């Protein structure tokens, strides 16, 4: 399918995909993001950040994470390069671990890729951090970020927070719930 960019902002673009029969399929595209499951397996606890979210006008518990690319131009250049998005996402996950969660990540594995839908392209790569240590200087937040990172919850508490609606990034909350259920099988 041929693409035509109908509108381009800083984070989103509206793409018209021209189909062979002449119809146009419209997609809103955003560069992908990453989320991190940082767990203390021995204590059966998970790290959730507490973040003030403008769209909620409230505090929210979340998995730490961020954008893989800071702009659509960076993302488009990457897409044109033919490089593996998983490599870029894994690298960004390591960086976000230090910045938002205050942890130095040694090993990280993809747990799941969350695809938003057919008409909104915004993938989130959720990584399980399998080997990490606390960063000696704590978080390295960007200007404007208001994130608390020293929030450790038992697996049961985290599950209850999801079910009670204390995690508002619902598609990630669902993946975390799935991860927590798998921990029962280990």
């Amino acid at each position: 399918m041929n693409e035509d960019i109908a509108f381009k902002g800083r984070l989103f673009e509206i793409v018209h995909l021209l189909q062979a029969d002449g119809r146009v399929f419209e997609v809103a595209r955003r560069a992908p993001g990453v989320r991190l499951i940082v767990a203390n397996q021995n204590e059966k606890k998970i790290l959730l950040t507490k973040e003030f979210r403008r769209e909620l006008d409230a505090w929210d518990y979340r998995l730490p994470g961020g954008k893989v690319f800071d702009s659509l131009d960076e993302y488009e250049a990457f897409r044109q390069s033919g490089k593996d998005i998983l490599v870029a996402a894994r690298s960004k996950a390591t960086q976000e671990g230090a910045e938002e969660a205050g942890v130095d990540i040694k090993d990280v594995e993809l747990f799941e890729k969350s695809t938003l839908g057919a008409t909104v392209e915004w993938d989130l790569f959720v990584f399980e951090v399998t080997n990490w240590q606390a960063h000696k200087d704590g978080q390295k937040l960007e200007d404007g970020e208001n994130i608390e990172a020293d929030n450790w919850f038992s697996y049961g508490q985290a599950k209850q927070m999801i079910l009670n609606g204390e995690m508002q990034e619902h598609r990630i909350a669902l993946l975390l719930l799935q991860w927590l259920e798998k921990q029962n099988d280990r």
Side-chain angles (χ1 to χ4, degrees):
M1 280 189 259
N2 294 325
E3 292 190 354
D4 178 45
I5 307 299
F7 169 80
K8 186 173 183 175
R10 185 174 177 286
L11 294 177
F12 277 96
E13 63 187 4
I14 303 299
V15 181
H16 289 169
L17 302 172
L18 309 173
Q19 299 179 33
D21 63 2
R23 291 182 299 144
V24 174
F25 188 75
E26 189 171 83
V27 174
R29 179 184 293 148
R30 179 181 170 160
V34 295
R35 300 295 182 267
L36 301 168
I37 299 172
V38 180
N40 180 327
Q41 293 288 356
N42 293 333
E43 296 181 17
K44 304 244 184 270
K45 290 188 173 188
I46 188 163
L47 176 67
L48 299 175
T49 58
K50 186 177 178 185
E51 185 172 342
F52 189 82
R53 300 298 302 183
R54 178 203 51 77
E55 71 274 16
L56 300 172
D57 194 28
W59 289 89
D60 189 29
Y61 286 100
R62 296 187 163 227
L63 292 179
K67 299 182 291 287
V68 177
F69 304 97
D70 288 327
S71 71
L72 282 169
D73 290 337
E74 287 178 49
Y75 181 44
E76 182 58 27
F78 183 86
R79 289 177 66 228
Q80 296 300 320
S81 76
K83 294 179 184 174
D84 185 353
I85 188 66
L86 193 53
V87 172
R90 183 175 278 114
S91 174
K92 191 61 174 190
T94 300
Q95 181 182 339
E96 289 292 337
E99 290 177 6
E100 279 199 8
V103 297
D104 290 324
I105 295 174
K106 308 255 188 270
D107 295 307
V108 63
E109 294 180 21
L110 180 67
F111 173 68
E112 190 76 46
K113 179 177 102 173
S114 172
T115 300
L116 191 53
T119 59
V120 179
E121 182 182 307
W122 180 32
D123 293 337
L124 292 175
F125 294 87
V126 180
F127 288 94
E128 179 178 7
V129 179
T130 56
N131 187 4
W132 60 273
Q133 65 184 30
H135 192 285
K136 64 181 175 96
D137 297 326
Q139 294 172 286
K140 301 177 201 169
L141 296 175
E142 295 178 16
D143 287 340
E145 289 184 312
N146 194 354
I147 303 169
E148 298 173 6
D150 197 21
N151 301 294
W152 289 92
F153 297 94
S154 72
Y155 292 173
Q157 287 172 311
K159 182 177 179 179
Q160 205 54 51
M161 291 169 75
I162 293 167
L163 297 174
N164 290 341
E166 293 177 68
M167 293 184 71
Q168 294 296 306
E169 192 174 31
H170 294 119
R171 68 179 172 147
I172 297 305
L174 174 59
L175 288 178
L176 179 56
L177 187 59
Q178 292 170 343
W179 182 87
L180 289 165
E181 285 299 307
K182 286 184 180 186
Q183 302 318 294
N184 292 334
D185 299 335
R186 288 185 176 176

